[in-house]
Amino acid sequence: MSIIKFLDEFTNESMLEKKSSRRDIFGTFGSLGKKAALAAIPFGLAGLTSKAHAQTMGDPVSALQLALTLEYLEDEFYDLALQSGVITDSAVETVYMKISQHEQAHVDFLTAGLTNAGVTPVEKPDFDFTAGGMFDPFNPSNPDAYAQLLALAQAFEDTGVRAYKGQAGNLQGSDFLTAGLQIHSVEARHASEIRRIRGLKGWITRDERGAGMPAATQAVYDGEENLIQGGLDVTTLGSGPAFSVDASTEAYDETLSGDEATAIASLFIVS
Amino acid sequence: MKKRVLKVHQPKQRTSSKRRQFIKLSGMAVLGSGLLMACSDDDDFINPTPNVFDLGSGDLGVLNYAYALEQLEADFYEKVVNGSYWASASSIEKQVLQDLYYHEVNHRDLFDTAISAAVGSNTNLKLPSLEFDYGSLDFGSRDQVLGTAKVLEDTGVSAYNGAGRLITDPNYLVLAGKIVSVEARHASAIRTLINPGSADFAGDDVVDPVTGLDRAQDPSEILSAVGDTGFITTPFTANSLP
């Protein structure tokens, strides 16, 4: 399946509505859990039963294909960043190398998982990290390259956190939920580190993209100002600074829908 | 002079309007029926320690479990920000620890309210406020404070990651997801305060370098580890959680 075709389908959320295919997907993911995930996940799967979640389940295959697309994006970004010669700070290089290792592992993990389930993984797209000329992050002669290289990393990591969270419902009841959560929290560790390298807090205040972030990245942060959790305005839980708007938005990360994550990723996808 | 510079007011009484707000949303009806089923399924279950609170089963059990962990984190950071290490810490460290304190108090009180809404008049199903004792832990020691914070945050990540599959209501799953990523952001920040310029923010001790997966542990493993710290002095059990 071509990446553009896949993303088109995801953008319409049409795959999520193909209820007739759900039974097949459950079948394939049953085997996926046994073959791929079980070998890699140390805890918990042995006790996991697949009963009774069918009513609320979405589409784990399309959720994982979207995840793989985002991991391809991140993986290639960090590879090119490390090769560019733009990073001269050895501490930052250490961080990028660790993140790069994880993103490569996520690509491998998702690719193997989908393949073992009998699903063809989406192809790796052609990326354009200039986003049509807006950025030039891997060019050492661009005086803004280093700042852009950090800003894009922040945008990708914060997007990753929100996108995985947005797919949790589609993975619920599948053997891949735990692995999805285990990748999700790694993206959050990455995001916190990159943000702090950039002089920001590791967490997101309101819907602020943070100093030095290009306006084009605002879509990553729209909606992060949400105060309603579980139907309740958390600023009304108590008084004092723990319930200020700032702290109440920082304390909870928000989801991105498949549509929203796709729109952000598409800025960097040529074909 | 010991001055409690940061006092967070924690209302003990939830207003009925707050409870109603929570009940209206996030599929509480599902939880309600789940509770009933759990009760009927468990007719032959005999609590081996009848005088000790048990977290319960299903979504309620997970909520009580998360509430216990968030109570511990919130209490720990309250001690930290009122302790002598924090008072003398760098501005960056102060900022991080103060933010973590605020976030954990917010999480704690959200679970407090969510569980109250879920159990309604059956308040005996809600985990009580826990009591804590940090023994010889020195809140004047940077190493001890940051080292304990690191353990608590990494434990929180692993606990939520492991509990996700136990959650039935998708609304609770998303809520847990919204919190666990913030715990992971905390863990990363604390680890970098301890070892700046390193790969420890996502070190091989917590993120498997081959799979790129963070840790995920069952409640029994987490509670065993937390029990070993001796920090929580109020006994409770988790007989219906894996």
Side-chain angles (χ1 to χ4, degrees):
Chain A
M1 184 196 301
S2 82
I3 190 74
I4 295 297
K5 180 163 174 286
F6 164 67
L7 289 178
D8 279 350
E9 289 189 359
F10 211 97
T11 300
N12 297 329
E13 301 282 357
S14 58
M15 292 181 81
L16 301 181
E17 288 154 18
K18 286 180 188 164
K19 296 191 168 35
S20 62
S21 65
R22 279 188 185 173
R23 194 176 302 272
D24 295 339
I25 289 161
F26 292 148
T28 56
F29 271 75
S31 64
L32 177 134
K34 290 183 191 76
K35 288 175 185 165
L38 193 61
I41 302 170
F43 304 109
L45 273 181
L48 196 147
T49 61
S50 56
K51 60 168 180 167
H53 291 300
Q55 308 90 317
T56 56
M57 267 189 71
D59 179 347
V61 169
S62 64
L64 294 177
Q65 298 280 35
L66 175 65
L68 177 57
T69 304
L70 295 174
E71 298 291 355
Y72 280 139
L73 173 82
E74 290 184 305
D75 181 38
E76 181 161 316
F77 173 78
Y78 288 103
D79 280 350
L80 294 174
L82 286 165
Q83 292 161 18
S84 68
V86 169
I87 304 172
T88 54
D89 182 324
S90 67
V92 173
E93 188 175 36
T94 298
V95 168
Y96 269 61
M97 286 173 67
K98 178 50 73 179
I99 297 179
S100 176
Q101 179 188 38
H102 292 160
E103 308 303 7
Q104 174 70 59
H106 295 162
V107 168
D108 293 346
F109 183 85
L110 293 168
T111 303
L114 286 160
T115 303
N116 289 344
V119 176
T120 304
V122 287
E123 292 161 20
K124 182 174 174 175
D126 289 332
F127 294 110
D128 168 22
F129 292 101
T130 75
M134 265 193 290
F135 311 108
D136 194 10
F138 308 131
N139 177 3
S141 60
N142 169 21
D144 297 327
Y146 182 62
Q148 292 176 353
L149 191 146
L150 287 172
L152 288 173
Q154 179 184 321
F156 294 148
E157 298 298 342
D158 280 334
T159 296
V161 174
R162 296 190 68 179
Y164 272 97
K165 202 190 317 296
Q167 296 306 313
N170 287 329
L171 296 176
Q172 191 171 24
S174 85
D175 290 349
F176 228 88
L177 174 66
T178 301
L181 291 171
Q182 288 175 288
I183 296 178
H184 168 247
S185 61
V186 172
E187 302 293 336
R189 287 179 186 269
H190 295 170
S192 178
E193 179 70 8
I194 295 289
R195 295 175 64 88
R196 284 169 40 75
I197 286 172
R198 295 189 67 254
L200 302 175
K201 291 180 173 185
W203 25 96
I204 302 164
T205 309
R206 305 192 188 212
D207 64 348
E208 293 168 7
R209 61 183 186 267
M213 290 297 285
T217 63
Q218 186 54 39
V220 175
Y221 300 97
D222 288 343
E224 278 287 344
E225 74 279 17
N226 174 47
L227 292 170
I228 309 298
Q229 306 299 348
L232 185 70
D233 181 342
V234 292
T235 63
T236 68
L237 284 169
S239 58
F243 305 98
S244 66
V245 172
D246 282 0
S248 295
T249 59
E250 289 171 359
Y252 306 88
D253 283 330
E254 300 300 322
T255 59
L256 278 179
S257 70
D259 282 4
E260 292 162 334
T262 297
I264 291 167
S266 297
L267 292 174
F268 301 94
I269 292 174
V270 180
S271 64
Chain B
M1 182 178 67
K2 194 174 179 189
K3 189 180 169 195
R4 298 179 78 81
V5 286
L6 291 162
K7 180 91 179 145
V8 171
H9 174 65
Q10 186 196 356
K12 288 295 174 199
Q13 296 295 323
R14 298 294 163 199
T15 64
S16 59
S17 71
K18 279 211 183 69
R19 191 171 293 177
R20 276 198 302 273
Q21 262 184 298
F22 225 115
I23 290 169
K24 242 186 326 192
L25 295 134
S26 83
M28 281 298 165
V30 175
L31 174 61
S33 61
L35 278 175
L36 288 175
M37 284 192 296
C39 290
S40 60
D41 283 351
D42 287 349
D43 276 349
D44 54 352
F45 175 76
I46 297 164
N47 187 346
T49 45
N51 294 320
V52 175
F53 182 86
D54 189 83
L55 295 179
S57 63
D59 285 352
L60 178 63
V62 175
L63 289 177
N64 273 325
Y65 171 58
Y67 183 39
L69 297 175
E70 298 291 351
Q71 282 193 51
L72 171 59
E73 289 184 312
D75 185 81
F76 171 75
Y77 289 113
E78 182 173 10
K79 302 276 193 309
V80 168
V81 299
N82 288 293
S84 58
Y85 154 62
W86 188 82
S88 63
S90 74
S91 61
I92 294 275
E93 292 177 355
K94 270 198 170 98
Q95 176 78 70
V96 167
L97 291 165
Q98 181 176 287
D99 280 355
L100 268 50
Y101 173 45
Y102 294 162
H103 301 166
E104 304 303 0
V105 166
N106 203 304
H107 294 165
R108 177 194 66 194
D109 286 11
L110 181 74
F111 283 112
D112 182 349
T113 305
I115 297 166
S116 291
V119 302
S121 58
N122 296 318
T123 51
N124 60 323
L125 297 175
K126 179 186 166 191
L127 180 74
S129 288
L130 302 175
E131 293 184 5
F132 304 94
D133 178 0
Y134 299 94
S136 60
L137 198 148
D138 180 1
F139 285 93
S141 159
R142 179 180 188 272
D143 285 353
Q144 290 191 31
V145 167
L146 294 183
T148 305
K150 172 175 137 175
V151 171
L152 290 181
E153 297 296 344
D154 284 334
T155 300
V157 172
S158 175
Y160 278 105
N161 281 348
R165 67 181 179 87
L166 306 175
I167 297 172
T168 304
D169 183 335
N171 296 294
Y172 289 142
L173 179 63
V174 170
L175 195 57
K178 289 177 170 201
I179 291 173
V180 65
S181 57
V182 174
E183 304 290 350
R185 290 173 186 271
H186 291 173
S188 175
I190 290 288
R191 285 168 159 269
T192 292
L193 289 182
I194 293 172
N195 196 0
S198 74
D200 280 4
F201 66 97
D204 294 353
D205 57 326
V206 280
V207 180
D208 185 318
V210 176
T211 61
L213 301 183
D214 217 323
R215 300 176 75 192
Q217 288 176 283
D218 276 343
S220 60
E221 297 172 279
I222 296 289
L223 292 175
S224 168
V226 169
D228 288 345
T229 67
F231 291 165
I232 301 179
T233 57
T234 309
F236 62 85
T237 58
N239 292 322
S240 297
L241 295 175

